Amino acid sequence: MTETAQTISDRIHQMLDDLTRAERQLALSVLENYPASGLGPLAMLARDAEVSVPTVARMVQKLGYKGYPEFQAGLREELKARGKTPIAKHDTWAEAAPSGHILNRFTEAVIDNIRLTLGQIDPASFDQACALIADEAHHLYIVGGRITHTLAEYLFLHMQVIRPDVTHVQSTSNTWPHYLLNAKEGDVFVIFDVRRYENNTLKLAELAHARGARIILMTDQWRSPVHQLATVCLSNRIVVPSAWDSATTIMLLLETMISAVQTLNWSQTKARIEELEDMFDQTKLFRKFT
Amino acid sequence: MTETAQTISDRIHQMLDDLTRAERQLALSVLENYPASGLGPLAMLARDAEVSVPTVARMVQKLGYKGYPEFQAGLREELKARGKTPIAKHDTWAEAAPSGHILNRFTEAVIDNIRLTLGQIDPASFDQACALIADEAHHLYIVGGRITHTLAEYLFLHMQVIRPDVTHVQSTSNTWPHYLLNAKEGDVFVIFDVRRYENNTLKLAELAHARGARIILMTDQWRSPVHQLATVCLSNRIVVPSAWDSATTIMLLLETMISAVQTLNWSQTKARIEELEDMFDQTKLFRKFT
DNA sequence: ACAATTGTGAAAGAAATATAACACGTCGAT
DNA sequence: ATCGACGTGTTATATTTCTTTCACAATTGT
């Protein structure tokens, strides 16, 4: 295990003592700003380290690489791996299962999706989206497609509690034009559209946009064509080892949004939630305890 | 300050809107593991992004560089500069947002949930659940509650494609007893029940159990009372900084299950999926591309 | 003075890049 | 439906750059 888990930087450090003058000079220069300097041309590295070109060539072979390009490839690999957050480096999430088990492979992919999605999100846009959704002065429409209507429904169920004037529209239903009749300028549409993008959804978005509505789009990394009409576009990475796409990242953003919106509207929401709880108590739909 | 402090990654993000399909594909690939992928040979980048070599060449010029090597030099500069700043900062997921922003707080909590949930899952039970769900010899019932029916529906939509004989039952509906009339011994029930646990769901589970059905329960860390009747019980941690519980972890497990079941049934599923694609193509419900 | 190390210069060879020409498909306008 | 503009991939080629390796001189330490 001393072999595999070792970074190139470690290996250089280790052999630092056995090196000759020029080699050590080179090694230290590589470590100086690691790994950037090793990723340039060989000649540049030689110049920066103030050693000759052949010295560099001999050195990389001493490190066990067949040539300089191979050494660079090693550095790039390392850099790629480092890009992942420490927490993301778990190779086994389900500790009892082998790392090749679908539980680990899938989770790994989802964590990656989350990392990349969050990394490229603009907090200002996100906040703006939350503000739009929280704005009770305008009606809120929530639109989902064939698969995504489940996410839309999830958002709807929560929004229904948090604020009045919420409607869930299913773009695959042929009744949606009726809803649009009531849409007024300034109304807010939360639209879910991931590949394969649905024509109905696009048409709905176009009509809504034409009526002066503002659109918040939840889509994938390739972005539904709706994004051209959207006020805010939140794109999620959805790639997993499966024949299907993943909605987990979208769900995460969704719940974060729900939490944020709720905070914005807390004074009103509080009363509404209490009322709802009362109603549930009365209907005895739920158990108080196990 | 908007000029100088701009990283290449920022610039790519900015122009993302104005890019064409192949260019965006390339841009996303560059950002995928940034900056490692941009430091390899041009041809390798092109291959990874699944675009042609000239596309990359055209793109770097569009970014304002005289050639690919100059672009790489820019990346190296950036990398060198980054190495000098104190590292840390890796605790934020949405890098552009302060660590106290809800995006980071919420994501942190969800990652925790995932880690803890996966850590205590028994892979054997999980595999058993998948096998039960994949078993086409028995009817599959999927049961959700007031909120969780969205998750149930999500599972249902996928299972519908993967195998025959699937029914989605909503425990809050008063029609569910009708479904149970058809339930036979050995049939499989996937039941979602998180707090607050629903009386209807428990009753349904009891009846199903009495008829000799096997129950797979998706619940929270405190486990719905249904768990005493369940063949397999998958409990999820669902605590987040919100007035609501999180379904993200459940969604993750769900999708993993879908992927696993699909692999088990691949021979049958393949044909079903192709058939479905054909039908979609014919109805023109979906767009092929942007 | 000897051996090991290192640098110089050069040249062959390999690899990567830049560019051009052309074919194909998509999309929108007419 | 037809045309043309546009984007893109393919193929091919010229050109540059980078790498590798050689022989040999210079330097250093022993």
Side-chain angles (χ1 to χ4, degrees), chain B residues 91-290:
Chain B
D91 52 343
T92 55
W93 293 82
E95 289 159 26
S99 66
H101 192 279
I102 181 70
L103 274 169
N104 283 317
R105 292 209 330 274
F106 205 100
T107 305
E108 187 74 22
V110 167
I111 299 286
D112 255 23
N113 286 342
I114 291 176
R115 199 162 39 79
L116 290 167
T117 302
L118 270 288
Q120 66 173 38
I121 229 170
D122 173 25
S125 301
F126 180 83
D127 292 340
Q128 187 194 357
C130 292
L132 281 174
I133 294 174
D135 177 13
E136 301 192 358
H138 296 104
H139 199 100
L140 177 67
Y141 293 88
I142 301 175
V143 183
R146 189 177 74 90
I147 300 279
T148 49
H149 80 261
T150 55
L151 295 168
E153 172 86 1
Y154 189 80
L155 177 60
F156 171 72
L157 283 168
H158 290 87
M159 282 307 144
Q160 218 180 4
V161 178
I162 294 178
R163 52 159 288 171
D165 299 324
V166 191
T167 310
H168 178 195
V169 185
Q170 211 168 317
S171 75
T172 52
S173 147
N174 45 19
T175 62
W176 64 258
H178 305 328
Y179 290 109
L180 273 194
L181 282 177
N182 299 321
K184 285 185 292 291
E185 178 158 352
D187 281 356
V188 177
F189 280 71
V190 178
I191 300 183
F192 294 82
D193 197 23
V194 301
R195 70 173 182 190
R196 311 167 48 166
Y197 313 119
E198 300 180 24
N199 274 330
N200 271 333
T201 303
L202 180 56
K203 293 225 180 74
L204 191 157
E206 279 164 352
L207 280 174
H209 185 257
R211 294 183 75 100
R214 286 158 308 171
I215 293 176
I216 296 164
L217 174 66
M218 296 287 280
T219 183
D220 54 41
Q221 60 196 115
W222 304 283
R223 296 196 301 183
S224 142
V226 173
H227 90 265
Q228 292 163 343
L229 313 168
T231 308
V232 179
C233 171
L234 297 169
S235 51
N236 298 264
R237 203 156 174 286
I238 58 172
V239 184
V240 280
S242 167
W244 311 88
D245 294 322
S246 168
T248 305
T249 310
I250 306 180
M251 182 65 105
L252 167 62
L253 271 194
L254 212 52
E255 292 187 328
T256 311
M257 252 168 50
I258 292 169
S259 172
V261 170
Q262 167 141 292
T263 305
L264 289 175
N265 286 27
W266 183 236
S267 46
Q268 297 96 316
T269 307
K270 200 179 163 197
R272 291 176 70 92
I273 287 194
E274 278 163 4
E275 224 171 310
L276 188 71
E277 296 275 319
D278 278 353
M279 284 168 59
F280 283 140
D281 280 349
Q282 280 165 31
T283 57
K284 299 195 175 166
L285 256 170
F286 299 100
R287 304 168 60 89
K288 288 247 163 167
F289 283 103
T290 54

Side-chain angles (χ1 to χ4, degrees), chain A residues 19-88:
Chain A
L19 298 179
T20 57
R21 195 216 86 229
E23 287 176 335
R24 181 154 46 244
Q25 204 170 312
L26 170 59
L28 288 174
S29 175
V30 170
L31 296 175
E32 178 96 6
N33 22 30
Y34 181 88
S37 34
L39 290 166
L42 186 149
M44 187 184 287
L45 177 57
R47 185 165 49 71
D48 287 351
E50 298 180 318
V51 299
S52 68
V53 167
T55 302
V56 181
R58 292 167 191 142
M59 180 77 173
V60 292
Q61 301 199 351
K62 203 178 251 183
L63 274 167
Y65 295 96
K66 199 162 153 270
Y68 188 69
E70 198 176 295
F71 167 72
Q72 290 188 312
L75 284 179
R76 279 199 303 274
E77 274 312 308
E78 219 174 278
L79 187 60
K80 211 181 281 188
R82 205 213 303 177
K84 309 192 175 183
T85 328
I87 184 114

